[in-house]
Amino acid sequence: MADNDTGELRRSLGVFDAVTIGLGSMLGAGIFAALGPAARAAGPGLLLGLAVAAVVAYCNATSSARLAARYPASGGTYVYGRERLGEFWGYLAGWGFVVGKTASCAAMALTIGAYAWPSHAHPVAVAAVVALTAVNYAGVQKSAWLTRVIVALVLAVLAAVIVAAFASGAAGAEALRPVGTTVGGVVQAAGLLFFAFAGYARIATLGEEVRDPARTIPRAIPVALAIALAVYALVAVAALAVLGPRRLGRATAPLVDTVRAAGTGWLVPVVQVGAAVAALGSLLALILGVSRTTLAMARDRHLPHALTAVHPRFGVPHRAELLIGVVVAVLAATVDLRGAIGFSSFAVLIYYAVANASAFTLRPDEGRPVPAIPVIGSIGCVVLAFAMPLSSVLPGLVVLGIGVAAHAIRRARAK
């Protein structure tokens, strides 16, 4: 059976699988790496930053769930923006997602290398990309099975960190008081911590592969977000209570420093392995989601139409997956981790701003959320995006501008 340009993907995922994929994306390297930079930005206001990030993430999740139930096709906000706001806004969201999450894939791969073998981080990162591209190529069910294992391991490691911190005599409530916190610091911390929440959208980008999407997607997204928020809050409180805001802000491996300060140094290698496994889970789901948005954009000829091919045996967009795998491998061999994360956060927040604007246009009979939710979500996304460091905002604007210019040229040629 030959490849085809309009082949549909196999609907094989239930609620549990969709929640697991979302958790595999959210419970990744963000919680192991983002606490330090967020604490530097907000100091003792770290928990306020987490709360702001959670509110924006909740609005985004609600808008995404309603839209995904209405438009259960691969592509996420690329599809929603196109259908609700017009072709340009869908394209802008899709471009922002693909370039932002491709950078995020590289960041996750580099995190794996940094924890697994610091002196050879780049080669390990490339090897991880190759391995996980092969897993995704073999079919989404195999990806979901592997993600279940990863989520279970990461949750076990984070639980050990939380218990070690609260059981030690090093934890103190004084560090949790947001004294001397600035609004700007809290907002920037929220933008950094939002990076760790963004995985729930992976469920929406799998809309063409879940069973009964109108029921599955609206249930899976809030459940995955709620579990991730609970875990993040407990971990953040534990790290802040043990290390204090200043020491946490200086930490490059905050959870390793937390277990050391708690007097449980034997947990250090466990946490290191957990961080690498968490990044592995995020990378697995990220490659999966980016390839599906690439597929949707290729179907509309915003990207090369050859990328629409669906594998006759595995039922996956194999050409899109291979292309993304190659690009991410090249980035993982060459880019800086911090730059990749900042660029990704800016682009993805723009993507979610379009999602919220799209949800605002839904009618009541189409499952429109309470109007305040997409309004708060849109404003929150824009504010958090432009609160990021200038070194992230400027490259983000340049790359988005390149995408807009390419779109304009394509439209002009089509006339």
Side-chain angles (χ1 to χ4, degrees), residues 140-189:
V140 68
Q141 277 288 19
K142 291 183 177 61
S143 298
W145 176 87
L146 182 57
T147 302
R148 290 190 197 107
V149 175
I150 292 172
V151 168
L153 289 172
V154 172
L155 284 174
V157 171
L158 293 178
V161 172
I162 294 166
V163 171
F166 290 136
S168 73
E174 287 293 324
L176 303 180
R177 296 179 180 177
V179 179
T181 300
T182 66
V183 173
V186 169
V187 173
Q188 187 170 105

Side-chain angles (χ1 to χ4, degrees), residues 71-403:
Y71 302 101
S74 286
T77 303
Y78 166 69
V79 175
Y80 316 150
R82 181 191 65 199
E83 296 295 325
R84 307 303 307 191
L85 303 175
E87 189 260 350
F88 170 77
W89 293 105
Y91 170 83
L92 181 65
W95 178 250
F97 183 88
V98 169
V99 298
K101 288 302 183 179
T102 298
S104 189
C105 287
M108 294 302 97
L110 287 167
T111 301
I112 296 168
Y115 276 90
W117 198 353
S119 60
H120 295 79
H122 287 283
V124 172
V126 173
V129 173
V130 172
L132 292 189
T133 299
V135 169
N136 278 331
Y137 191 98
V140 68
Q141 277 288 19
K142 291 183 177 61
S143 298
W145 176 87
L146 182 57
T147 302
R148 290 190 197 107
V149 175
I150 292 172
V151 168
L153 289 172
V154 172
L155 284 174
V157 171
L158 293 178
V161 172
I162 294 166
V163 171
F166 290 136
S168 73
E174 287 293 324
L176 303 180
R177 296 179 180 177
V179 179
T181 300
T182 66
V183 173
V186 169
V187 173
Q188 187 170 105
L192 292 165
L193 290 167
F194 181 83
F195 178 79
F197 278 109
Y200 56 78
R202 215 69 63 249
I203 300 171
T205 62
L206 296 174
E208 199 172 319
E209 294 163 88
V210 296
R211 297 188 299 270
D212 190 8
R215 171 182 175 273
T216 298
I217 293 172
R219 289 188 177 189
I221 290 178
V223 170
L225 179 63
I227 294 172
L229 174 58
V231 173
Y232 285 0
L234 287 172
V235 172
V237 169
L240 197 57
V242 170
L243 297 177
R246 291 186 180 179
R247 189 174 174 187
L248 179 57
R250 295 193 300 266
T252 55
L255 298 193
V256 168
D257 289 356
T258 298
V259 295
R260 280 182 178 149
T264 50
W266 59 271
L267 274 176
V268 168
V270 176
V271 173
Q272 290 174 323
V273 171
V277 171
L280 192 73
S282 288
L283 179 59
L284 176 68
L286 281 166
I287 293 174
L288 192 65
V290 174
S291 65
R292 270 51 179 185
T293 301
T294 300
L295 167 69
M297 295 185 73
R299 283 173 172 169
D300 292 336
R301 299 186 183 276
H302 290 305
L303 293 173
H305 198 60
L307 298 175
T308 60
V310 175
H311 196 282
R313 176 183 174 189
F314 299 123
V316 298
H318 59 293
R319 291 180 183 171
E321 288 190 345
L322 288 175
L323 175 63
I324 295 301
V326 170
V327 172
V328 173
V330 171
L331 290 174
T334 58
V335 302
D336 172 74
L337 174 60
R338 183 174 298 179
I341 290 176
F343 174 86
S344 174
S345 295
F346 178 84
V348 173
L349 281 163
I350 298 303
Y351 166 90
Y352 284 122
V354 176
N356 281 289
S358 300
F360 187 77
T361 69
L362 290 171
R363 300 189 305 271
D365 63 310
E366 295 176 313
R368 184 180 67 190
V370 176
I373 289 177
V375 170
I376 294 171
S378 297
I379 295 173
C381 285
V382 173
V383 170
L384 294 188
F386 285 92
M388 297 298 291
L390 197 60
S391 59
S392 298
V393 174
L394 290 180
L397 289 174
V398 169
V399 173
L400 288 180
I402 291 172

